């Protein structure tokens, strides 16, 4: 759903840029309360992973493909404010390095793909985990539903912007029907990827999933014929910020980075070549009549290739690896800087369901 230059007129694009800048500013402040020594480096990794998976277009209908947007995944793994920043970093890297998504439309893309997806997904996710049983499975199911809804919500948000500032005269009802219809299908793929990723992380390190914090089901002991909560052992969790807690993320970080590099550098070659949902709707409905050439169309990495490298497989793989490296570097730098600015009076939020329990414990069975 990367909106190119020319779809939305300049006044509305500028207004969307103001909204995006405000959202990013609020997220920078909010992320200071979400990030700690463990999650700060993981946030950069989440951004790189989203970049890699966005290269994997999957078929959703005849002649149409889709890809991960990532707002729901980022919000659940590292928090809603940090999630907005993750997707924004990805969009910035894609627009500057790969000519993917217009530069004058960057505010539109951040508003639609970062703000809307993250806010809608996390609000729905938080509501679901409050009413469902406190189990690992409920977190995964909630992630699936939240991700599924976030994609057509983003499509509806684009349609609203197009209704105000579209550069072609197309009946808005037709645009809304086409956009939401195809993105419901894309949302199913988004939901599957999100649920599988969240479920995989919860299975090995539930303490690193922001959306699972505070979902501890206390151990019950029978005392005098009555069930009472057992006190956790003092060694149940290393204190946040301790060297043990900081070192414990290295294996997860390394595994995630290798996975992102393999996906972007190798698996991406087998992605669907069909146009994605927005491109297909734009071509069918005539939205793309005034599309402008990207400002960095002559970039050495434009269109996820490498200039002067004729082998498509090699060029795409190298571009993907460069993109993952650049995204993890920029993202990690941003999140470490945000983390360092957290004042002593700011503490981590309790998470979606109250005070966090022992690290690594989520009630119930997967």
């Amino acid at each position: 759903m990367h909106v190119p230059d020319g779809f939305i007129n300049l006044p509305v694009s500028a207004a969307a840029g103001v909204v995006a800048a405000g959202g990013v500013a609020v997220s920078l402040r909010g992320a200071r309360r979400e990030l700690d020594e463990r999650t700060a480096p993981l946030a950069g990794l989440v951004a790189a992973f989203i970049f890699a998976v966005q290269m994997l277009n999957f078929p959703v209908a005849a002649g149409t493909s889709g890809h991960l947007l990532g707002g729901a995944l980022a919000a659940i793994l590292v928090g809603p404010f940090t999630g907005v920043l993750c997707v924004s970093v990805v969009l910035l890297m894609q627009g500057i390095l790969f000519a993917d998504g217009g530069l004058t439309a960057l505010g539109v893309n951040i508003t639609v793909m970062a703000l809307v997806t993250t806010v809608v997904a996390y609000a729905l996710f938080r509501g679901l985990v409050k009413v469902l049983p406190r189990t690992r499975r409920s977190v995964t199911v909630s992630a699936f539903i939240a991700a599924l809804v976030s994609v057509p919500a983003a499509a509806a948000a684009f349609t609203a912007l197009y209704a105000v500032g579209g550069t072609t005269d197309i009946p808005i009802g037709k645009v809304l029907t086409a956009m939401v219809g195809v993105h419901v299908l894309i949302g199913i793929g988004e939901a599957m990827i999100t649920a599988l990723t969240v479920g995989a992380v919860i299975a090995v390190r539930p303490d690193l999933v922001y959306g699972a914090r505070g979902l501890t089901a206390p151990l019950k002991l029978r005392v005098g014929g009555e069930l009472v909560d057992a006190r956790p052992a003092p060694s149940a969790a290393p204190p946040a910020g301790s060297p043990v807690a900081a070192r414990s993320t290295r294996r997860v970080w390394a595994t995630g980075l290798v996975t992102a590099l393999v996906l972007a550098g190798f698996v991406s070659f087998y992605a669907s070549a069909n146009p994605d949902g927005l491109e297909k709707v734009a071509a069918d409905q005539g939205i793309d009549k005034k599309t402008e050439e990207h400002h960095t169309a002559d970039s050495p990495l434009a269109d996820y290739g490498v200039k002067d490298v004729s082998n498509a497989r090699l060029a795409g793989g190298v571009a993907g690896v460069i993109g993952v490296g650049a995204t993890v570097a920029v993202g990690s730098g941003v999140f470490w800087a945000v983390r360092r600015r957290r004042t002593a009076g700011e503490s981590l939020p309790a998470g979606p369901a109250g005070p966090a329990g022992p690290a690594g414990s989520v009630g119930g069975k997967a």
Side-chain angles (χ1 to χ4, degrees):
M1 201 185 296
H2 294 76
V3 180
D5 295 323
F7 276 24
I8 308 293
N9 63 30
L10 286 179
V12 174
S13 294
V18 173
V19 173
V24 169
V26 171
S27 297
L28 284 168
R29 184 171 182 82
R32 285 157 54 182
R33 299 189 301 272
E34 292 175 347
L35 295 169
D36 59 20
E37 288 79 359
R38 292 176 300 164
T39 56
L42 290 177
L45 176 62
V46 169
F49 182 79
I50 290 173
F51 173 90
V53 180
Q54 283 197 4
M55 294 183 66
L56 310 181
N57 281 47
F58 48 85
V60 296
T64 309
S65 69
H67 63 71
L68 182 81
L69 298 185
L73 177 62
I76 295 167
L77 288 179
V78 292
F81 295 109
T82 308
V84 169
L85 299 179
C86 284
V87 180
S88 298
V89 167
V90 172
L91 293 172
L92 183 63
M93 293 295 100
Q94 290 170 332
I96 294 176
L97 296 179
F98 301 96
D100 189 10
L103 294 184
T104 61
L106 182 60
V108 172
N109 284 319
I110 290 177
T111 299
V112 172
M113 295 177 65
L115 295 178
V116 172
T117 58
T118 302
V119 170
V120 170
Y122 194 73
L124 181 55
F125 173 83
R126 182 167 180 170
L128 289 171
V129 296
K130 282 186 174 181
V131 299
L132 293 176
R134 297 190 300 177
T135 66
R136 295 179 183 181
R137 183 172 298 172
S138 70
V139 174
T140 304
V141 170
S142 299
F144 182 95
I145 297 172
L148 173 60
V149 174
S150 71
V151 178
F158 166 78
T159 305
L161 290 174
Y162 189 81
V164 179
T167 55
T168 55
D169 187 15
I170 306 295
I172 200 63
K174 295 178 63 176
V175 176
L176 178 62
T177 300
M179 283 293 292
V180 173
V182 71
H183 283 90
V184 166
L185 300 178
I186 295 173
I188 296 173
E190 175 106 9
M192 293 176 63
I193 295 171
T194 301
L196 288 172
T197 304
V198 171
V201 179
I202 286 179
V204 294
R205 287 295 302 273
D207 58 304
L208 297 181
V209 178
Y210 182 90
R213 292 180 178 179
L215 297 179
T216 304
L219 177 65
K220 298 288 187 179
L221 296 178
R222 187 174 296 278
V223 178
E226 296 183 359
L227 290 176
V228 297
D229 292 344
R231 293 183 179 180
S235 59
S242 70
V244 173
R247 288 197 302 268
S248 64
T249 64
R250 291 179 181 177
R251 180 174 297 181
V252 174
W253 196 93
T255 301
L257 181 60
V258 170
T259 301
L261 289 171
V262 170
L263 291 175
F266 177 73
V267 180
S268 62
F269 182 79
Y270 301 97
S272 173
N274 292 330
D276 66 22
L278 177 59
E279 292 172 331
K280 179 65 173 176
V281 171
D284 290 347
Q285 303 296 329
I287 296 175
D288 60 354
K289 292 178 181 179
K290 296 186 179 181
T291 303
E292 301 174 4
E293 184 178 22
H294 200 281
H295 292 81
T296 61
D298 58 350
S299 165
L301 300 173
D303 296 323
Y304 299 94
V306 178
K307 190 175 182 180
D308 299 328
V309 176
S310 57
N311 186 295
R313 185 190 297 267
L314 177 61
V318 171
V321 170
I322 293 174
V324 168
T327 303
V328 76
V330 172
S332 297
V334 168
F335 296 123
W336 272 117
V338 172
R339 167 71 184 95
R340 288 174 62 88
R341 286 180 60 86
R342 197 176 85 194
T343 63
E346 291 176 310
S347 58
L348 288 173
S361 56
V362 177
K365 297 180 179 179

